[in-house]
Amino acid sequence: MPRKHRSGMDTKALLVILAADVVYFFFGMLTYTGENTAGDTWRAVIFLALLLATAGIVRRWLRRRV
């Protein structure tokens, strides 16, 4: 039987990473130069890594809910 405390930690982790995704998305959008710079590429790679981490946490959160 899953413990209630663990489920709460998963929810908090999910909310934190979702907030980080939104903040980083807007940061990347506002600092986008439109030119072919390495900075834009790195921000895109970091955002995609955050997105993959978010997907993993969402999957874990959903599995524990069922």
Side-chain angles (χ1 to χ4, degrees):
M1 183 170 175
R3 294 181 349 190
K4 182 68 174 166
H5 178 68
R6 244 356 227 170
S7 178
M9 290 301 290
D10 288 344
T11 302
K12 288 177 187 175
L14 179 60
L15 291 175
V16 167
I17 199 161
L18 283 174
D21 285 343
V22 170
V23 168
Y24 197 79
F25 174 79
F26 282 107
F27 168 73
M29 181 178 63
L30 293 172
T31 58
Y32 179 68
T33 62
E35 300 168 5
N36 192 14
T37 64
D40 291 338
T41 304
W42 277 108
R43 281 188 292 274
V45 168
I46 292 168
F47 178 73
L48 291 175
L50 274 173
L51 200 59
L52 287 174
T54 303
I57 291 175
V58 167
R59 284 183 52 200
R60 179 179 175 168
W61 184 77
L62 287 174
R63 275 194 227 142
R64 290 184 180 226
R65 291 277 176 202
V66 175

